[in-house]
Amino acid sequence: ARVICVTATVTKVDLSYNYIEDEGITHLADALKHNKSVSELLLYEVGSGDVGAEALAGALRVNATVTSLNLRLNRIGNVGAEALA
């Protein structure tokens, strides 16, 4: 996640099928608050739940560069979905 904070060339992050869970998503979300180049996040089946979704929602309120987010096959419930809406 630290690399995402300082890089200006990475535009796509694909962590799909890596079980990083809410803790990993929270670290990624913190990094995205400082990144201005990533436009696409692929996070299929990473074990994220509501906590991870809420962390991403907070990052996306600060980061307007991300235009594509795929969270398919995660454990996100109503609370996380509402945060991302």
Side-chain angles (χ1 to χ4, degrees):
R2 287 186 200 141
V3 171
I4 293 173
C5 286
V6 296
T7 186
T9 57
V10 174
T11 59
K12 179 179 180 180
V13 174
D14 186 351
L15 295 173
S16 299
Y17 308 108
N18 288 283
Y19 207 70
I20 60 174
E21 300 184 294
D22 288 331
E23 182 179 356
I25 293 293
T26 299
H27 288 296
L28 175 63
D30 288 342
L32 286 171
K33 290 177 183 176
H34 306 283
N35 178 279
K36 301 299 179 212
S37 65
V38 173
S39 61
E40 183 176 8
L41 289 173
L42 301 172
L43 302 170
Y44 308 150
E45 200 171 347
V46 295
S48 181
D50 289 335
V51 172
E54 289 177 309
L56 279 174
L60 295 175
R61 282 192 284 277
V62 176
N63 180 323
T65 308
V66 176
T67 57
S68 178
L69 171 64
N70 196 317
L71 290 165
R72 195 175 340 168
L73 301 175
N74 284 287
R75 302 173 284 123
I76 298 168
N78 290 339
V79 172
E82 287 179 23
L84 287 164

